Amino acid sequence: MIRKLIAGNWKMNGSLEANEVLVRAILAGVGTPGCDIAVCVPAPYLAQVAGLLKGQQSVALGAQDISRHAQGAYTGEVSGSMLRDFGTRYALVGHSERRQYHGETDEAVALKAKAALDVGITPIVCVGETLSEREAGQTDDVVRRQLAAVIHENGHCITEIVVAYEPVWAIGTGKTATPAQAQQVHAVLRSQLHAASTAAAGIRILYGGSMNAANAAELLAQPDIDGGLIGGASLKAPDFLTIASAA
Ligand code: 13P
């Protein structure tokens, strides 16, 4: 069985003071977890959170984005080697908020995944359909197209990625996909990964979208749900820890 991954995506939330309280509470309650755990923090706080996580193995550091470029004249961007300098293990790529508000295309997301892999950071590749795409019956096509770009660019090391299925209509809305809805899409993604790699059974596919302390256990019990990408509930230590123990 795959070791599950529970990753918190803090999005654009936090402060020096709040981060310290949150990370200390997570570390105090986490014990010896039965799953992998990560917190994906805003870039300015990587150094702070790296310091807070130092000397322990239970919680890993993640970033929320990564430049597709290695270095140079790209004002405002953060490179993979910069993330590495702070011990970053994971980087979200292609979150729907970046696709939507920053115009990230499937190809840009695939190149970001490659930039992460190039420096030994695990990309957490986010895919997911909008409400109108779901209502038009396009869900499977949309997530397959999004993942295909990443496989096309990174096929030789596809087992090194993590996939996160985040239906856009479920993010921050309190509307979770039902376990059956999520499992159906995860199975689609799994079979696409199987076609790309004989080792696809070992690739983690996370669910994200209003996952919380109350619904996590049922979602995580689905055969192809290998963890969670948690937004709002990752900002409250008790909720985040409850989700991690459900995994
Ligand atoms: P919520 O858990 O707040 O719905 O956010 C999900 C998400 O976008 C995680 O990346």
PDB file of all heavy atoms in Angstrom, residues 20 45 52 77 107 140 185 198 205 209:
ATOM      1  N   GLU A  20       4.345  30.649  13.229  1.00  0.00           N
ATOM      2  CA  GLU A  20       5.067  29.996  14.321  1.00  0.00           C
ATOM      3  C   GLU A  20       4.091  29.241  15.229  1.00  0.00           C
ATOM      4  O   GLU A  20       4.336  28.094  15.604  1.00  0.00           O
ATOM      5  CB  GLU A  20       5.867  31.032  15.124  1.00  0.00           C
ATOM      6  CG  GLU A  20       6.580  30.383  16.294  1.00  0.00           C
ATOM      7  CD  GLU A  20       7.761  31.186  16.825  1.00  0.00           C
ATOM      8  OE1 GLU A  20       8.104  32.236  16.253  1.00  0.00           O
ATOM      9  OE2 GLU A  20       8.328  30.733  17.831  1.00  0.00           O
ATOM     10  N   TYR A  45       8.061  32.979   3.536  1.00  0.00           N
ATOM     11  CA  TYR A  45       8.148  32.306   4.826  1.00  0.00           C
ATOM     12  C   TYR A  45       8.885  30.968   4.762  1.00  0.00           C
ATOM     13  O   TYR A  45       8.921  30.226   5.748  1.00  0.00           O
ATOM     14  CB  TYR A  45       6.742  32.097   5.406  1.00  0.00           C
ATOM     15  CG  TYR A  45       6.013  33.393   5.693  1.00  0.00           C
ATOM     16  CD1 TYR A  45       4.755  33.637   5.160  1.00  0.00           C
ATOM     17  CD2 TYR A  45       6.587  34.369   6.501  1.00  0.00           C
ATOM     18  CE1 TYR A  45       4.089  34.815   5.422  1.00  0.00           C
ATOM     19  CE2 TYR A  45       5.923  35.560   6.760  1.00  0.00           C
ATOM     20  CZ  TYR A  45       4.667  35.784   6.219  1.00  0.00           C
ATOM     21  OH  TYR A  45       4.011  36.954   6.485  1.00  0.00           O
ATOM     22  N   LEU A  52      11.725  26.360  11.665  1.00  0.00           N
ATOM     23  CA  LEU A  52      10.829  25.732  12.647  1.00  0.00           C
ATOM     24  C   LEU A  52      10.792  24.208  12.487  1.00  0.00           C
ATOM     25  O   LEU A  52      10.583  23.479  13.453  1.00  0.00           O
ATOM     26  CB  LEU A  52       9.411  26.304  12.510  1.00  0.00           C
ATOM     27  CG  LEU A  52       9.227  27.765  12.932  1.00  0.00           C
ATOM     28  CD1 LEU A  52       7.903  28.324  12.411  1.00  0.00           C
ATOM     29  CD2 LEU A  52       9.283  27.884  14.463  1.00  0.00           C
ATOM     30  N   GLU A  77      10.059  35.848  -9.848  1.00  0.00           N
ATOM     31  CA  GLU A  77       9.955  34.386  -9.818  1.00  0.00           C
ATOM     32  C   GLU A  77      10.949  33.777  -8.822  1.00  0.00           C
ATOM     33  O   GLU A  77      11.937  34.404  -8.443  1.00  0.00           O
ATOM     34  CB  GLU A  77      10.194  33.827 -11.223  1.00  0.00           C
ATOM     35  CG  GLU A  77       9.135  34.294 -12.194  1.00  0.00           C
ATOM     36  CD  GLU A  77       8.790  33.250 -13.234  1.00  0.00           C
ATOM     37  OE1 GLU A  77       9.165  32.073 -13.077  1.00  0.00           O
ATOM     38  OE2 GLU A  77       8.143  33.629 -14.202  1.00  0.00           O
ATOM     39  N   GLU A 107       1.080  23.484 -20.789  1.00  0.00           N
ATOM     40  CA  GLU A 107       2.499  23.380 -21.157  1.00  0.00           C
ATOM     41  C   GLU A 107       3.371  24.067 -20.102  1.00  0.00           C
ATOM     42  O   GLU A 107       4.436  23.554 -19.732  1.00  0.00           O
ATOM     43  CB  GLU A 107       2.760  24.001 -22.535  1.00  0.00           C
ATOM     44  CG  GLU A 107       2.176  23.208 -23.705  1.00  0.00           C
ATOM     45  CD  GLU A 107       0.636  23.172 -23.726  1.00  0.00           C
ATOM     46  OE1 GLU A 107      -0.002  24.186 -23.328  1.00  0.00           O
ATOM     47  OE2 GLU A 107       0.077  22.129 -24.117  1.00  0.00           O
ATOM     48  N   ASP A 140     -13.508  14.093 -17.429  1.00  0.00           N
ATOM     49  CA  ASP A 140     -12.428  13.141 -17.713  1.00  0.00           C
ATOM     50  C   ASP A 140     -11.480  13.693 -18.771  1.00  0.00           C
ATOM     51  O   ASP A 140     -10.252  13.569 -18.652  1.00  0.00           O
ATOM     52  CB  ASP A 140     -12.999  11.790 -18.179  1.00  0.00           C
ATOM     53  CG  ASP A 140     -13.796  11.097 -17.072  1.00  0.00           C
ATOM     54  OD1 ASP A 140     -13.938  11.677 -15.972  1.00  0.00           O
ATOM     55  OD2 ASP A 140     -14.292   9.978 -17.314  1.00  0.00           O
ATOM     56  N   VAL A 185     -12.751   9.912 -10.767  1.00  0.00           N
ATOM     57  CA  VAL A 185     -11.729  10.688 -11.493  1.00  0.00           C
ATOM     58  C   VAL A 185     -10.328  10.157 -11.161  1.00  0.00           C
ATOM     59  O   VAL A 185      -9.463  10.065 -12.047  1.00  0.00           O
ATOM     60  CB  VAL A 185     -11.851  12.195 -11.173  1.00  0.00           C
ATOM     61  CG1 VAL A 185     -10.783  12.983 -11.915  1.00  0.00           C
ATOM     62  CG2 VAL A 185     -13.240  12.706 -11.554  1.00  0.00           C
ATOM     63  N   THR A 198       4.857   1.387 -15.912  1.00  0.00           N
ATOM     64  CA  THR A 198       4.478   0.126 -15.273  1.00  0.00           C
ATOM     65  C   THR A 198       4.428   0.282 -13.747  1.00  0.00           C
ATOM     66  O   THR A 198       3.864  -0.559 -13.061  1.00  0.00           O
ATOM     67  CB  THR A 198       5.491  -0.985 -15.614  1.00  0.00           C
ATOM     68  OG1 THR A 198       6.800  -0.469 -15.330  1.00  0.00           O
ATOM     69  CG2 THR A 198       5.395  -1.391 -17.073  1.00  0.00           C
ATOM     70  N   ILE A 205      -1.904   9.928  -5.815  1.00  0.00           N
ATOM     71  CA  ILE A 205      -2.920  10.835  -6.358  1.00  0.00           C
ATOM     72  C   ILE A 205      -3.720  11.372  -5.164  1.00  0.00           C
ATOM     73  O   ILE A 205      -4.447  10.631  -4.501  1.00  0.00           O
ATOM     74  CB  ILE A 205      -3.860  10.117  -7.353  1.00  0.00           C
ATOM     75  CG1 ILE A 205      -3.060   9.382  -8.446  1.00  0.00           C
ATOM     76  CG2 ILE A 205      -4.821  11.131  -7.997  1.00  0.00           C
ATOM     77  CD1 ILE A 205      -3.927   8.573  -9.419  1.00  0.00           C
ATOM     78  N   GLY A 209     -10.034  19.864  -2.164  1.00  0.00           N
ATOM     79  CA  GLY A 209     -11.284  20.591  -2.418  1.00  0.00           C
ATOM     80  C   GLY A 209     -12.209  20.391  -1.238  1.00  0.00           C
ATOM     81  O   GLY A 209     -12.918  19.392  -1.165  1.00  0.00           O
TER      82      GLY A 209
END
